[in-house]
């Protein structure tokens, strides 16, 4: 196993890209600190560091839309991680399967899978 101390954190955080294991769709990007990475490895459920709340959060804790982590990969520079997950429900807090639901023109191109007011 890669020693977490060898990862290149910036201000204690590392970029995390989340991708669906089966479809390879990029679902979201977030940040992890060492504790979030350790919790993710320990539980098999994605945990991240909220920069706005300055706290650890378990993805899906409120909505029930968990990310079951099947594999974690580290990039060549050791400054970002890729989580390959089984997504339960939507990944985006706006109700879409992926946070990348709009194109550059602002057109919605992603699938809406839940109403945010129903889960938050």
């Amino acid at each position: 196993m890669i020693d977490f101390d060898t990862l290149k954190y910036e201000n204690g955080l590392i970029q995390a890209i989340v991708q669906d294991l089966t479809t390879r769709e990029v679902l979201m990007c977030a940040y992890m600190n060492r504790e979030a990475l350790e919790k993710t490895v320990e539980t098999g459920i994605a945990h991240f560091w909220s920069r706005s709340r300055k706290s650890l959060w378990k993805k899906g804790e409120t909505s029930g839309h968990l990310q079951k982590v099947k594999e974690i990969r580290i990039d060549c520079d050791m400054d970002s991680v890729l989580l390959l997950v089984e997504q339960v429900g939507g990944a985006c807090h706006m109700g879409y399967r992926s946070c990348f639901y709009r194109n550059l023109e602002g057109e919605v191109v992603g699938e809406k899978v839940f109403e945010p007011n129903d889960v938050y």
Side-chain angles (χ1 to χ4, degrees):
M1 180 184 269
I2 290 179
D3 181 350
F4 292 166
D5 288 333
T6 62
L7 298 177
K8 295 177 185 168
Y9 301 91
E10 187 171 321
N11 297 319
L13 301 175
I14 193 165
Q15 177 79 46
I17 299 106
V18 182
Q19 186 177 34
D20 185 280
L21 176 68
T22 305
T23 68
R24 299 300 194 202
E25 179 182 21
V26 175
L27 300 172
M28 60 177 276
C29 293
Y31 290 92
M32 299 175 109
N33 62 4
R34 185 181 173 126
E35 181 183 12
L37 186 53
E38 289 172 345
K39 275 272 197 210
T40 298
V41 170
E42 175 187 320
T43 66
I45 302 296
H47 287 72
F48 301 101
W49 178 258
S50 171
R51 294 179 298 162
S52 60
R53 294 183 302 238
K54 299 192 183 336
S55 64
L56 186 71
W57 59 284
K58 175 181 168 185
K59 179 67 176 164
E61 191 166 26
T62 303
S63 67
H65 299 167
L66 301 172
Q67 292 173 337
K68 298 177 182 177
V69 178
K70 302 302 181 181
E71 185 177 346
I72 299 175
R73 297 183 185 180
I74 310 296
D75 83 326
C76 58
D77 293 323
M78 299 198 52
D79 63 359
S80 60
V81 298
L82 173 67
L83 305 182
L84 297 170
V85 304
E86 177 188 323
Q87 177 68 51
V88 177
C92 179
H93 73 282
M94 299 297 290
Y96 292 87
R97 174 160 167 73
S98 168
C99 292
F100 299 95
Y101 65 89
R102 293 176 287 205
N103 64 19
L104 202 54
E105 288 75 36
E107 176 187 4
V108 173
V109 294
E111 176 188 8
K112 190 148 193 178
V113 293
F114 71 95
E115 287 301 324
N117 290 338
D118 295 342
V119 297
Y120 298 114

